[in-house]
Amino acid sequence: MASAASNPAGAQVLPAALQPLRGQDLLSSGDLSAEQTAALLELAAGLKAGRCRIDLGGKVLGLIFSKASTRTRVSFTVAMARLGGQTLDLNPQVSQVGRGEPVADTARVLSRYVDALAIRTFGQDELADYAHWASIPVINALTDLEHPCQALADYLTLAEAFATTTPGELNLQNLKGLTLTYLGDGNNVAHSLMLCGALLGVHVRIGCPQGYEPDGAVLARSQQLAAAQGSSVTVLHEPVAAVRGAHALYTDVWASMGQEEEKAERERAFAGWCLEEELIAEADSRAIVLHCLPAYRGLEISAGAMEGPSSRIFDQAENRLHAQQALLAALLGG
Ligand code: CP
Ligand code: NVA
């Protein structure tokens, strides 16, 4: 169990697997090793159960969000408060970023004031640019390519359903060999689920219409990571085949932020891909239903699937808080 223990001086120390993460960035789910991913989930479960406590001693996290957010913004803010730190809202609308100040200048200046940055933006290249110029950890709070903080919370939720021994203790060996099916657009959420699931030994199936497959490079990397864990990442184009026997059914919006103009075209392309009760019946009888939210009932998910007995969607949303507390503790030092 990766709970924080006390060293002889009484200060909290993080599990050994997490210590190399101190001062690092998290730009992609693939930045973490299999051990680090597992240790973060274990620490998150311990924090959630109140079995360990981390004090960041007043550290400050800056939030630069160029896209809307409810869960990510609030969960990072509350996570920092619970860790004895605080957050600063540095949105482009209220800073010089919105008036075109270069990333190279912004990142170097902010590195003199705050201890980490969580950035939500469009291009992964812009995030990488921040990480290049900043001397503090940079966290991907969603880009068009990935959503790694979401994936940590998602697999914590899957582990709670299938791999919890006593409350707050996960046996992540029990995750190995489970199947998570993601139905819908091969987008940022799908990409992080593929990479993170591969590291945990989960079989990840992406079910999508032709033309909406995940990025080829992310697919190849996740398949390589999965092979090392004895699992697999596959892409299917038929919804029933994709969900058959799965232990988790996951979906996300068909048109992500920045794709608003494609909404009508995507609704036509995704007809028949709604996650609804008939599909849940094809999955494992214990299967859980997940959605990163926000959700559009009647499009990618039915109201019945969202509110039904298999849904863990609101536990999943809560787990953003616990997973990000564990991540912040690891990057900023417990
Ligand atoms: N799931 C998620 O990232 O939600 P927000 O867009 O509200 O942050
Ligand atoms: N794929 C969605 C996720 C929102 C949390 C988007 O990028 O808009």
Side-chain angles (χ1 to χ4, degrees):
M1 167 66 211
S3 60
S6 291
N7 67 17
Q12 288 168 326
V13 290
L14 288 167
L18 294 182
Q19 287 176 17
L21 290 180
R22 187 173 189 157
Q24 300 298 305
D25 303 314
L26 181 73
L27 307 186
S28 161
S29 295
D31 289 348
L32 299 170
S33 69
E35 289 81 25
Q36 289 163 349
T37 303
L40 282 174
L41 298 193
E42 287 169 347
L43 180 58
L47 287 161
K48 182 174 182 176
R51 297 204 310 106
C52 50
R53 208 181 57 78
I54 308 265
D55 188 348
L56 291 182
K59 292 215 166 110
V60 179
L61 173 70
L63 302 178
I64 304 179
F65 278 41
S66 302
K67 292 175 173 175
S69 170
T70 298
R71 280 144 290 272
T72 310
R73 177 193 306 283
V74 176
S75 56
F76 265 120
T77 306
V78 176
M80 282 304 282
R82 291 202 178 170
L83 293 168
Q86 55 182 298
T87 41
L88 261 186
D89 211 333
L90 302 166
N91 282 347
Q93 300 94 305
V94 298
S95 71
Q96 300 288 5
V97 171
R99 296 180 61 249
E101 185 166 9
V103 167
D105 298 351
T106 305
R108 282 180 290 177
V109 169
L110 292 177
S111 297
R112 308 286 179 111
Y113 300 146
V114 303
D115 301 289
L117 289 171
I119 298 177
R120 171 168 287 201
T121 190
F122 294 85
Q124 186 77 9
D125 52 348
E126 187 189 332
L127 180 78
D129 220 13
Y130 270 106
H132 172 78
W133 289 104
S135 54
I136 54 174
V138 170
I139 302 169
N140 182 346
L142 182 146
T143 60
D144 290 348
L145 190 68
E146 278 205 51
H147 199 0
C149 298
Q150 180 69 53
L152 289 172
D154 301 340
Y155 286 106
L156 175 59
T157 313
L158 185 66
E160 287 173 341
F162 287 93
T164 301
T165 43
T166 52
E169 277 193 39
L170 307 179
N171 179 355
L172 294 174
Q173 289 305 316
N174 292 349
L175 272 191
K176 291 186 185 288
L178 295 181
T179 297
L180 178 142
T181 293
Y182 171 96
L183 284 186
D185 186 27
N187 64 14
N188 44 10
V189 168
H191 291 155
S192 286
L193 283 171
M194 291 157 60
L195 292 163
C196 192
L199 288 166
L200 290 164
V202 173
H203 298 290
V204 181
R205 290 186 203 150
I206 305 296
C208 61
Q210 298 278 356
Y212 293 92
E213 292 83 3
D215 177 81
V218 175
L219 178 61
R221 171 105 171 100
S222 62
Q223 286 174 330
Q224 182 188 38
L225 294 172
Q229 302 301 324
S231 68
S232 59
V233 180
T234 48
V235 179
L236 297 96
H237 293 109
E238 205 278 307
V240 175
V243 303
R244 190 163 287 136
H247 304 93
L249 305 183
Y250 194 123
T251 191
D252 181 21
V253 292
W254 293 334
S256 287
M257 290 180 275
Q259 297 173 331
E260 288 78 8
E261 286 178 6
E262 296 173 34
K263 193 167 178 290
E265 175 193 332
R266 283 170 172 265
E267 283 178 21
R268 282 192 295 277
F270 284 90
W273 286 90
C274 177
L275 176 50
E276 54 194 2
E277 291 86 330
E278 288 78 2
L279 282 180
I280 299 173
E282 301 288 339
D284 186 278
S285 58
R286 300 160 296 167
I288 61 169
V289 169
L290 300 172
H291 192 308
C292 57
L293 300 175
Y296 294 91
R297 290 167 175 79
L299 292 180
E300 78 275 3
I301 190 164
S302 68
M306 260 202 85
E307 307 295 346
S310 306
S311 174
R312 297 289 180 280
I313 290 171
F314 295 97
D315 296 327
Q316 178 189 4
E318 176 188 334
N319 282 340
R320 297 293 307 276
L321 173 61
H322 308 298
Q324 283 156 211
Q325 266 187 260
L327 176 66
L328 289 163
L331 302 185
L332 293 174

